[in-house]
Amino acid sequence: MAPRLLYIVGAGGSGREVAWLASDIWGNKTAIRFVVDHRDYLTDAVNGIPVELLSSLRRDKDSSYVVAIGEPSLRSKLATKMRDAGFQAQTLIHPGTRMSKCVELEEGVVVAAGSILTTGIKLARHVHINIACTISHDVTIGEFSTLSPGVHVSGHVRIGKGVFIGTGTNIINGSASQPLVIGDGAIVAAGACVTRDVESGSMVAGVPATRRR
């Protein structure tokens, strides 16, 4: 069911893209407002959509929110602020997404246009899947992780919490007995090809991807 009002936290590039996504889902059935958490970012409107300050919001039972921030730790902080203020997270799946019935989505997930999700997939809270990503069978992605545009994830992969995967990354498959694992808080640089496990908190880059820090 379409909410009467959707608050999009973040009025930058991601926010504007999510506003388009929401409009493609609900048309004019849902009003949209951008939300910022600091007065320095407050402006009258962005792309014709009003901007409001988070601290001034009033909870409405017919409203929901999504955090449109690419950086995982900041998305987590803002989602916590919205939750603590009593707002309910909204899941947004672009109607152009191809997805089987064997995909499990938790609250606040965003899946952008042109993405394909096959089967045996679980996306935890507030995961962001950007435009034109593909996720193959038996993949789990932990809360607040981000797949940038054009990321391709093969089968039997476990992506941890708060992971950022850069544009155009390719992640090869693991196996049922030994999934390929990308640990919590890892960063995968744009254009990388991940062929082996990535340690938590590390940054990898290159083809094949190797640890850089």
Side-chain angles (χ1 to χ4, degrees):
M1 178 181 293
R4 183 187 63 82
L5 174 62
L6 178 69
Y7 290 116
I8 298 176
V9 184
S14 292
R16 289 180 283 126
E17 289 184 340
V18 169
W20 166 59
L21 192 164
S23 295
D24 270 8
I25 296 172
W26 295 308
N28 59 9
K29 294 179 181 178
T30 298
I32 295 173
R33 299 287 185 272
F34 286 126
V35 176
V36 296
D37 68 332
H38 197 284
R39 289 188 179 277
D40 288 350
Y41 305 125
L42 195 60
T43 184
D44 289 337
V46 173
N47 284 8
I49 298 172
V51 182
E52 301 184 22
L53 193 62
L54 192 155
S55 60
S56 68
L57 298 182
R58 293 184 177 181
R59 188 164 60 88
D60 182 329
K61 66 178 182 178
D62 295 321
S63 68
S64 58
Y65 78 93
V66 64
V67 183
I69 301 290
E71 203 282 315
S73 63
L74 181 56
R75 185 157 77 247
S76 176
K77 291 176 183 177
L78 291 170
T80 298
K81 287 184 178 181
M82 292 296 287
R83 182 198 64 199
D84 290 349
F87 291 93
Q88 177 64 45
Q90 179 71 51
T91 296
L92 297 179
I93 309 298
H94 192 274
T97 299
R98 298 190 64 186
M99 183 171 67
S100 82
K101 63 181 180 180
C102 299
V103 175
E104 183 179 345
L105 307 172
E106 295 187 357
E107 66 175 21
V109 167
V110 174
V111 181
S115 293
I116 301 173
L117 290 75
T118 64
T119 186
I121 295 165
K122 180 176 180 179
L123 306 183
R125 298 185 311 128
H126 298 281
V127 165
H128 279 199
I129 308 299
N130 276 279
I131 56 173
C133 291
T134 62
I135 303 176
S136 192
H137 61 88
D138 302 304
V139 170
T140 62
I141 302 180
E143 60 185 12
F144 298 103
S145 289
T146 299
L147 268 58
S148 299
V151 170
H152 301 296
V153 183
S154 298
H156 293 299
V157 171
R158 304 287 180 265
I159 297 172
K161 301 175 182 179
V163 173
F164 184 88
I165 299 179
T167 299
T169 292
N170 294 299
I171 302 172
I172 71 158
N173 60 288
S175 65
S177 61
Q178 190 172 357
L180 186 148
V181 176
I182 298 178
D184 295 348
I187 298 172
V188 180
C193 180
V194 179
T195 62
R196 62 183 68 184
D197 290 355
V198 176
E199 292 183 24
S200 296
S202 65
M203 192 275 276
V204 299
V207 180
T210 57
R211 183 165 183 167
R212 305 301 171 90
R213 63 172 175 82

